[in-house]
Amino acid sequence: MAKVAQSSELKAAFEKHRGQTEEHVTRLEGVFEAIGKKPVGKTCAAIMGITEEGAEIMEEYNGSPSLDAGLLAAAQAVEHYEISRYGTLRTDAAVWQSRVPC
Ligand SMILES: [Fe+2]
């Protein structure tokens, strides 16, 4: 999406986010290493659908002044999905942690 974004600010935001995501992956790999587990990837049907929609937006709005708005909407859809899942995982981890005997 950074490659096709028209606004330099949006391009920069996408590139910054990519760097942050790579940092998150590195952190997660460290967590798995610390607990002696191997991280395993799993395809997420919801994210696949959202990214497919983003690809459609890039094609349909190519050259249109509305392209950046569409790209931003697609990116926000992914982020909101991530937030809902990470929030649940964080809460679940806290519940499990509270059950561990001292
Ligand atoms: Fe993200």
Side-chain angles (χ1 to χ4, degrees):
M1 293 198 300
K3 288 179 186 170
V4 300
Q6 296 167 333
S7 152
S8 59
E9 288 172 294
L10 188 56
K11 279 182 189 289
F14 284 142
E15 287 164 3
K16 180 180 177 184
H17 184 263
R18 181 184 313 136
Q20 291 170 331
T21 300
E22 289 168 359
E23 191 178 312
H24 296 162
V25 170
T26 300
R27 243 188 258 155
L28 283 170
E29 288 170 346
V31 168
F32 276 93
E33 189 176 323
I35 62 172
K37 301 279 186 183
K38 186 179 177 195
V40 179
K42 184 177 176 188
T43 301
C44 173
I47 290 295
M48 294 302 288
I50 292 170
T51 54
E52 194 174 301
E53 184 180 67
E56 287 174 15
I57 288 168
M58 286 191 275
E59 191 176 315
E60 285 180 32
Y61 291 89
N62 184 21
S64 164
S66 296
L67 176 63
D68 281 0
L71 294 175
L72 194 51
Q76 285 178 328
V78 171
E79 291 309 303
H80 285 262
Y81 187 85
E82 286 178 2
I83 290 165
S84 73
R85 295 311 184 260
Y86 292 147
T88 300
L89 290 171
R90 184 189 61 204
T91 301
D92 194 45
V95 168
W96 279 98
Q97 187 178 28
S98 70
R99 293 180 177 186
V100 174
C102 297

